[in-house]
């Protein structure tokens, strides 16, 4: 079964990043007035809320996008990086490269700045950026604040609206 805007609007209404059931389906616990979707589960490597419609698994954020625009790109980006925030204003189409640009700072980043790391051999801060899945060396800097500024400018230039600084 193809899921489209018409089908979704007949089954659900949208409110604050959630699709809410319009009717109760007897026997399976689907109650009118309840939002759809499972909670993301890191143990199962599932970062997104999911649901089943006619036996087919769907990410809820994709259903919300279809609900509003009657289409869904291959990838959607959560602008604020919170994969549980499915408000339509937080969703935008993205390529996989754009989606990678908007990811959060890795927890093992010791400089606390994306694209900046300490280079022991030169005793300087090293600035780099990933562009089209290739790492570019921006340069080495004695001053951390300058390295941070250069990193931010490079991400603005190369990643545009998908640049994420946190």
């Amino acid at each position: 079964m193809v899921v489209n805007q018409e089908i979704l609007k007949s089954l659900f209404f949208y409110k604050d990043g959630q699709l809410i059931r319009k009717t109760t389906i007897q026997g399976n616990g689907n109650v009118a007035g309840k939002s759809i979707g499972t909670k993301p589960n890191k143990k199962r490597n599932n970062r997104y809320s999911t649901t089943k419609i006619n036996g087919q698994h769907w990410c809820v954020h994709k259903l919300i996008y279809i609900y509003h625009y009657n289409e869904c790109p291959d990838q959607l980006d959560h602008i604020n990086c919170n994969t549980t925030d499915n408000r339509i204003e937080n969703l935008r189409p993205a390529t996989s490269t754009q989606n990678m640009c908007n990811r959060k700072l890795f927890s093992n980043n010791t400089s606390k700045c994306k694209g900046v790391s300490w280079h022991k051999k030169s005793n300087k801060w090293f600035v780099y950026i990933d562009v089209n899945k290739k790492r570019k060396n921006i340069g080495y800097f004695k001053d951390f604040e300058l390295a941070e500024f250069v990193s931010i400018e490079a991400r603005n230039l190369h990643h545009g609206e998908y640049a994420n600084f946190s």
Side-chain angles (χ1 to χ4, degrees):
M1 174 187 154
V2 175
V3 173
N4 60 31
Q5 187 179 48
E6 181 182 352
I7 291 167
L8 291 174
K9 287 192 174 190
S10 72
L11 297 171
F12 312 108
F13 65 89
Y14 171 84
K15 183 179 180 189
D16 299 327
Q18 297 182 340
L19 290 176
I20 313 293
R21 292 191 181 282
K22 287 184 175 181
T23 58
T24 298
I25 300 173
Q26 296 298 324
N28 66 1
N30 295 326
V31 179
K34 297 277 185 175
S35 63
I36 66 167
T38 61
K39 289 191 175 22
N41 186 331
K42 288 183 182 179
K43 289 180 183 176
R44 290 184 296 173
N45 200 24
N46 183 3
R47 298 179 307 146
Y48 304 105
S49 177
T50 60
T51 193
K52 259 183 168 180
I53 296 179
N54 288 337
Q56 189 176 3
H57 288 275
W58 286 90
C59 289
V60 172
H61 67 284
K62 289 191 173 197
L63 292 173
I64 288 171
Y65 199 87
I66 295 168
Y67 183 95
H68 284 85
Y69 299 111
N70 199 27
E71 64 180 14
C72 189
D74 290 337
Q75 287 203 27
L76 286 172
D77 179 46
H78 286 80
I79 296 168
N80 68 4
C81 297
N82 179 352
T83 60
T84 63
D85 182 355
N86 292 324
R87 293 172 299 124
I88 192 63
E89 58 269 18
N90 190 43
L91 302 175
R92 64 182 169 189
T95 64
S96 77
T97 301
Q98 289 168 326
N99 214 345
M100 295 294 283
C101 293
N102 190 33
R103 64 184 174 202
K104 288 183 178 179
L105 183 71
F106 289 126
S107 60
N108 64 350
N109 182 312
T110 56
S111 75
K112 303 301 179 212
C113 179
K114 282 174 120 182
V116 177
S117 61
W118 181 250
H119 191 262
K120 288 180 186 177
K121 200 171 187 178
S122 68
N123 208 28
K124 293 180 181 176
W125 293 100
F126 173 58
V127 177
Y128 60 90
I129 187 169
D130 294 330
V131 180
N132 296 324
K133 300 180 184 176
K134 293 191 174 151
R135 179 137 307 166
K136 288 181 80 167
N137 177 351
I138 304 297
Y140 296 86
F141 303 87
K142 287 182 181 181
D143 183 64
F144 175 77
E145 286 76 20
L146 179 58
E148 182 179 35
F149 175 77
V150 169
S151 174
I152 289 169
E153 289 299 307
R155 277 180 282 145
N156 278 333
L157 177 66
H158 293 286
H159 298 166
E161 69 178 296
Y162 292 88
N164 184 335
F165 305 104
S166 55

Coordinates of all heavy atoms in Angstrom, one line a residue, residues 66-120:
I66 N 5.3 13.7 4.8 CA 4.4 13.3 3.7 C 3.0 14.0 4.0 O 2.3 14.5 3.2 CB 4.2 11.8 3.6 CG1 5.5 11.2 3.1 CG2 3.1 11.4 2.7 CD1 5.6 9.7 3.2
Y67 N 2.6 14.0 5.3 CA 1.4 14.5 5.8 C 1.3 16.0 5.3 O 0.2 16.5 4.9 CB 1.3 14.4 7.3 CG 0.0 15.0 7.9 CD1 -1.1 14.1 8.2 CD2 -0.2 16.3 8.2 CE1 -2.2 14.6 8.8 CE2 -1.3 16.8 8.8 CZ -2.4 15.9 9.1 OH -3.5 16.4 9.6
H68 N 2.4 16.7 5.4 CA 2.4 18.1 5.0 C 2.7 18.4 3.5 O 2.1 19.4 3.0 CB 3.4 18.9 5.9 CG 3.0 19.1 7.3 ND1 3.1 18.2 8.3 CD2 2.4 20.2 7.8 CE1 2.6 18.7 9.4 NE2 2.1 19.9 9.1
Y69 N 3.5 17.6 2.9 CA 4.0 18.0 1.5 C 3.6 16.9 0.5 O 3.9 17.1 -0.7 CB 5.5 18.2 1.5 CG 5.9 19.4 2.4 CD1 6.6 19.1 3.6 CD2 5.5 20.7 2.1 CE1 7.0 20.2 4.4 CE2 5.9 21.7 2.9 CZ 6.6 21.5 4.1 OH 7.0 22.5 4.9
N70 N 3.0 15.8 0.9 CA 2.6 14.7 0.0 C 3.8 14.1 -0.8 O 3.6 13.6 -1.9 CB 1.5 15.1 -1.0 CG 0.8 13.9 -1.6 OD1 0.7 12.9 -0.9 ND2 0.3 14.0 -2.8
E71 N 5.0 14.2 -0.2 CA 6.2 13.6 -0.8 C 7.2 13.5 0.3 O 7.1 14.1 1.4 CB 6.8 14.5 -1.9 CG 7.3 15.8 -1.4 CD 7.9 16.6 -2.6 OE1 7.7 16.3 -3.8 OE2 8.6 17.6 -2.3
C72 N 8.2 12.6 0.1 CA 9.2 12.5 1.1 C 10.5 12.2 0.4 O 10.7 11.2 -0.3 CB 8.9 11.4 2.1 SG 10.0 11.3 3.5
P73 N 11.5 13.1 0.6 CA 12.8 12.8 0.0 C 13.5 11.6 0.7 O 13.0 11.1 1.7 CB 13.6 14.1 0.4 CG 12.9 14.7 1.5 CD 11.5 14.3 1.5
D74 N 14.6 11.1 0.1 CA 15.3 9.9 0.7 C 15.7 10.2 2.1 O 15.7 9.3 2.9 CB 16.5 9.6 -0.2 CG 16.1 9.0 -1.5 OD1 14.9 8.5 -1.7 OD2 16.9 9.0 -2.5
Q75 N 16.2 11.4 2.3 CA 16.7 11.7 3.7 C 16.0 13.1 4.2 O 15.9 14.0 3.4 CB 18.2 11.9 3.7 CG 18.9 10.6 3.6 CD 20.3 10.6 4.2 OE1 20.6 11.4 5.0 NE2 21.1 9.8 3.7
L76 N 15.7 13.1 5.4 CA 15.3 14.3 6.1 C 16.3 14.6 7.2 O 16.8 13.7 7.9 CB 13.9 14.1 6.7 CG 12.7 14.0 5.7 CD1 11.4 13.6 6.4 CD2 12.6 15.4 5.0
D77 N 16.5 15.9 7.4 CA 17.4 16.4 8.4 C 16.6 17.0 9.6 O 15.7 17.7 9.3 CB 18.3 17.4 7.8 CG 19.3 18.0 8.8 OD1 19.9 17.2 9.6 OD2 19.5 19.2 8.9
H78 N 16.9 16.6 10.8 CA 16.3 17.3 12.0 C 17.2 18.5 12.2 O 18.4 18.3 12.6 CB 16.3 16.4 13.2 CG 15.2 15.3 13.1 ND1 15.4 14.1 12.4 CD2 14.0 15.2 13.7 CE1 14.3 13.4 12.5 NE2 13.4 14.0 13.3
I79 N 16.7 19.7 12.0 CA 17.5 20.9 12.0 C 18.2 21.1 13.4 O 19.4 21.4 13.4 CB 16.6 22.1 11.7 CG1 16.1 22.0 10.3 CG2 17.4 23.4 11.9 CD1 15.0 23.0 9.9
N80 N 17.5 20.8 14.5 CA 18.1 21.0 15.8 C 18.8 19.7 16.3 O 19.2 19.7 17.4 CB 17.1 21.4 16.8 CG 16.0 20.4 17.1 OD1 16.1 19.3 16.7 ND2 15.0 20.8 17.9
C81 N 19.0 18.7 15.4 CA 19.7 17.5 15.7 C 19.0 16.6 16.8 O 19.5 15.5 17.2 CB 21.1 17.7 16.2 SG 22.2 18.5 15.0
N82 N 17.8 16.9 17.2 CA 17.0 16.1 18.1 C 16.1 15.3 17.3 O 15.1 15.7 16.8 CB 16.3 17.1 19.1 CG 15.4 16.3 20.1 OD1 15.3 15.1 20.0 ND2 14.9 17.0 21.0
T83 N 16.4 14.0 17.2 CA 15.6 13.1 16.4 C 14.3 12.8 16.9 O 13.5 12.1 16.3 CB 16.4 11.8 16.1 OG1 16.7 11.1 17.4 CG2 17.7 12.0 15.4
T84 N 14.0 13.2 18.1 CA 12.6 13.0 18.7 C 11.8 14.3 18.5 O 10.6 14.2 18.8 CB 12.7 12.7 20.2 OG1 13.3 13.8 20.9 CG2 13.5 11.4 20.4
D85 N 12.4 15.3 18.0 CA 11.6 16.6 17.7 C 11.1 16.5 16.2 O 11.9 16.9 15.3 CB 12.5 17.8 17.9 CG 11.8 19.1 17.7 OD1 10.6 19.1 17.3 OD2 12.4 20.2 18.0
N86 N 9.9 16.0 16.0 CA 9.4 15.9 14.7 C 8.4 17.0 14.2 O 7.6 16.8 13.3 CB 8.7 14.5 14.6 CG 9.7 13.4 14.7 OD1 10.8 13.5 14.2 ND2 9.3 12.3 15.3
R87 N 8.6 18.2 14.8 CA 7.8 19.3 14.4 C 8.2 19.6 12.9 O 9.3 19.5 12.5 CB 8.0 20.5 15.2 CG 7.5 20.4 16.6 CD 8.0 21.6 17.5 NE 9.4 21.6 17.6 CZ 10.2 22.7 17.2 NH1 9.6 23.8 16.8 NH2 11.5 22.6 17.3
I88 N 7.2 19.9 12.1 CA 7.4 20.1 10.7 C 8.5 21.2 10.4 O 9.3 21.1 9.5 CB 6.1 20.3 9.9 CG1 6.4 20.2 8.4 CG2 5.5 21.6 10.3 CD1 6.8 18.9 7.9
E89 N 8.5 22.2 11.3 CA 9.5 23.3 11.1 C 10.9 22.8 11.4 O 11.8 23.6 11.2 CB 9.1 24.5 11.9 CG 8.9 24.3 13.3 CD 7.5 24.0 13.8 OE1 6.7 23.5 13.0 OE2 7.2 24.2 15.0
N90 N 11.0 21.6 12.0 CA 12.4 21.1 12.4 C 12.8 20.1 11.3 O 13.9 19.6 11.5 CB 12.3 20.5 13.8 CG 13.7 20.1 14.2 OD1 14.7 20.9 14.1 ND2 13.8 18.9 14.8
L91 N 12.1 19.8 10.3 CA 12.4 18.9 9.3 C 12.7 19.6 7.9 O 12.0 20.5 7.6 CB 11.3 17.9 9.1 CG 10.8 17.1 10.3 CD1 9.6 16.2 10.0 CD2 12.0 16.2 10.8
R92 N 13.8 19.1 7.3 CA 14.1 19.6 6.0 C 14.7 18.5 5.1 O 15.4 17.7 5.7 CB 15.0 20.8 6.1 CG 16.4 20.5 6.6 CD 17.2 21.8 6.8 NE 18.4 21.5 7.6 CZ 19.3 22.3 8.0 NH1 19.1 23.6 7.7 NH2 20.3 22.0 8.7
P93 N 14.5 18.6 3.8 CA 15.2 17.6 2.9 C 16.7 17.8 3.0 O 17.2 18.9 3.2 CB 14.6 18.0 1.5 CG 13.5 18.8 1.8 CD 13.6 19.5 3.1
A94 N 17.4 16.7 2.8 CA 18.9 16.8 2.9 C 19.5 15.6 2.1 O 18.9 14.6 2.0 CB 19.4 16.8 4.3
T95 N 20.7 15.9 1.6 CA 21.5 14.8 1.1 C 22.2 14.1 2.2 O 22.2 14.7 3.4 CB 22.5 15.3 0.1 OG1 23.5 16.1 0.8 CG2 21.9 16.0 -1.1
S96 N 22.8 13.0 2.0 CA 23.5 12.3 3.2 C 24.6 13.2 3.6 O 24.9 13.3 4.8 CB 23.9 10.9 2.8 OG 25.1 10.9 2.0
T97 N 25.3 13.9 2.7 CA 26.4 14.8 3.0 C 25.9 16.0 3.9 O 26.5 16.3 4.9 CB 27.1 15.3 1.7 OG1 27.6 14.2 1.0 CG2 28.3 16.2 2.1
Q98 N 24.8 16.6 3.5 CA 24.2 17.7 4.2 C 23.8 17.2 5.6 O 24.0 17.9 6.6 CB 23.0 18.3 3.5 CG 23.4 19.0 2.3 CD 22.2 19.4 1.4 OE1 21.2 18.6 1.3 NE2 22.3 20.5 0.8
N99 N 23.3 16.0 5.7 CA 22.8 15.5 7.0 C 24.0 15.3 7.9 O 24.0 15.5 9.1 CB 22.1 14.1 6.8 CG 21.0 13.9 7.8 OD1 20.9 14.6 8.8 ND2 20.2 13.0 7.5
M100 N 25.2 14.8 7.3 CA 26.4 14.6 8.1 C 26.9 16.0 8.6 O 27.5 16.1 9.7 CB 27.5 13.9 7.3 CG 27.1 12.5 6.9 SD 27.0 11.4 8.3 CE 28.7 11.1 8.6
C101 N 26.8 17.0 7.8 CA 27.3 18.4 8.2 C 26.5 18.9 9.5 O 27.1 19.6 10.2 CB 27.1 19.4 7.1 SG 28.1 19.1 5.7
N102 N 25.3 18.4 9.6 CA 24.5 18.9 10.7 C 24.5 18.0 11.9 O 23.7 18.1 12.8 CB 23.0 19.1 10.2 CG 22.2 19.8 11.3 OD1 22.7 20.7 12.0 ND2 20.9 19.5 11.4
R103 N 25.5 17.1 12.0 CA 25.5 16.3 13.2 C 26.1 17.0 14.4 O 26.9 18.0 14.2 CB 26.2 15.0 12.9 CG 27.7 15.1 12.6 CD 28.3 13.8 12.2 NE 29.7 14.2 11.7 CZ 30.4 13.4 11.0 NH1 29.9 12.3 10.6 NH2 31.6 13.8 10.6
K104 N 25.8 16.5 15.6 CA 26.3 17.1 16.8 C 27.8 16.8 17.0 O 28.4 15.9 16.3 CB 25.6 16.5 18.0 CG 24.2 16.9 18.1 CD 23.6 16.3 19.4 CE 22.2 16.8 19.6 NZ 21.6 16.2 20.8
L105 N 28.4 17.5 17.9 CA 29.8 17.3 18.3 C 29.9 16.0 18.9 O 29.1 15.6 19.7 CB 30.2 18.4 19.3 CG 31.6 18.5 19.8 CD1 32.5 19.0 18.7 CD2 31.7 19.4 21.0
F106 N 30.9 15.2 18.4 CA 31.2 13.9 19.0 C 31.6 14.0 20.5 O 32.3 14.9 20.9 CB 32.2 13.1 18.2 CG 31.8 12.7 16.8 CD1 32.6 13.0 15.7 CD2 30.7 11.9 16.6 CE1 32.2 12.6 14.5 CE2 30.3 11.5 15.4 CZ 31.0 11.9 14.3
S107 N 31.1 13.0 21.3 CA 31.4 13.1 22.7 C 32.9 12.9 23.0 O 33.3 13.3 24.1 CB 30.6 12.0 23.4 OG 30.9 10.7 22.9
N108 N 33.6 12.3 22.1 CA 35.1 12.1 22.4 C 35.9 13.3 21.9 O 37.1 13.2 21.9 CB 35.6 10.8 21.8 CG 35.5 10.8 20.3 OD1 34.9 11.6 19.6 ND2 36.1 9.7 19.7
N109 N 35.3 14.4 21.4 CA 36.0 15.6 21.0 C 36.6 16.3 22.2 O 35.8 16.8 23.0 CB 35.1 16.5 20.1 CG 35.8 17.7 19.6 OD1 36.5 18.4 20.3 ND2 35.5 17.9 18.3
T110 N 37.9 16.4 22.3 CA 38.5 17.0 23.5 C 38.6 18.5 23.4 O 38.7 19.2 24.4 CB 39.9 16.4 23.7 OG1 40.7 16.5 22.5 CG2 39.8 14.9 24.1
S111 N 38.6 19.1 22.2 CA 38.7 20.5 22.0 C 37.4 21.2 22.3 O 37.3 22.4 22.5 CB 39.2 20.9 20.6 OG 38.2 20.8 19.7
K112 N 36.3 20.5 22.2 CA 34.9 21.0 22.3 C 34.6 21.9 21.2 O 33.7 22.8 21.3 CB 34.7 21.7 23.7 CG 34.9 20.7 24.9 CD 34.1 19.5 24.8 CE 34.4 18.6 26.0 NZ 34.2 17.2 25.7
C113 N 35.3 21.8 20.1 CA 35.0 22.6 18.9 C 35.1 21.7 17.7 O 36.1 21.0 17.5 CB 36.0 23.7 18.7 SG 35.7 24.7 17.2
K114 N 34.1 21.6 16.8 CA 34.1 20.8 15.6 C 35.2 21.2 14.7 O 35.4 22.4 14.5 CB 32.8 20.9 14.9 CG 31.6 20.1 15.5 CD 30.4 20.4 14.8 CE 29.8 19.1 14.2 NZ 28.6 19.4 13.4
G115 N 35.9 20.2 14.2 CA 37.0 20.5 13.2 C 38.3 21.1 13.8 O 39.1 21.6 13.0
V116 N 38.4 21.0 15.1 CA 39.7 21.5 15.7 C 40.2 20.4 16.7 O 39.5 19.9 17.5 CB 39.4 22.8 16.6 CG1 40.7 23.3 17.2 CG2 38.9 23.9 15.7
S117 N 41.5 20.1 16.5 CA 42.1 19.1 17.4 C 43.6 19.6 17.6 O 44.1 20.3 16.8 CB 42.1 17.7 16.8 OG 42.8 17.7 15.5
W118 N 44.1 19.1 18.7 CA 45.5 19.4 19.1 C 46.4 18.5 18.3 O 46.2 17.3 18.3 CB 45.7 19.2 20.6 CG 47.1 19.6 21.0 CD1 48.0 18.8 21.5 CD2 47.6 20.9 21.0 NE1 49.1 19.5 21.8 CE2 48.9 20.8 21.5 CE3 47.1 22.2 20.7 CZ2 49.8 21.9 21.7 CZ3 48.0 23.3 20.8 CH2 49.3 23.1 21.3
H119 N 47.4 19.1 17.7 CA 48.4 18.3 16.9 C 49.7 18.4 17.7 O 50.4 19.4 17.8 CB 48.6 19.0 15.5 CG 49.4 18.2 14.6 ND1 50.7 18.4 14.4 CD2 49.0 17.1 13.8 CE1 51.2 17.5 13.5 NE2 50.2 16.7 13.2
K120 N 50.0 17.2 18.4 CA 51.2 17.2 19.3 C 52.5 17.5 18.6 O 53.3 18.2 19.1 CB 51.2 15.8 19.9 CG 50.2 15.5 20.9 CD 50.3 14.1 21.5 CE 49.2 13.8 22.4 NZ 49.3 12.4 22.9

